[in-house]
Amino acid sequence: MLTRRTFLASSAAAASIRAVPQITKTKPARHILTLVYDKALGGLRAVDKLVR
């Protein structure tokens, strides 16, 4: 028997199944760490960059 509650539950489950593959397709972001000489500091400074 299909009640309002079971209909809402099944439609929410179907929507989540469609959304999962799109979430997994995105590439993970990479951190690129670069060492730069800073004259003001008088030494090396780490610059962290987030690349998608």
Side-chain angles (χ1 to χ4, degrees):
M1 180 175 225
L2 188 65
T3 63
R4 191 177 106 188
R5 183 177 289 172
T6 57
F7 173 74
L8 291 174
S10 62
S11 63
S16 67
I17 289 173
R18 288 182 182 166
V20 169
Q22 293 174 356
I23 294 170
T24 57
K25 284 182 183 177
T26 59
K27 293 182 181 178
R30 294 184 347 203
H31 287 278
I32 296 177
L33 185 66
T34 308
L35 294 175
V36 179
Y37 184 76
D38 192 352
K39 290 181 184 178
L41 264 165
L44 289 174
R45 183 170 56 100
V47 176
D48 191 24
K49 200 178 195 183
L50 189 64
V51 178
R52 292 185 184 239

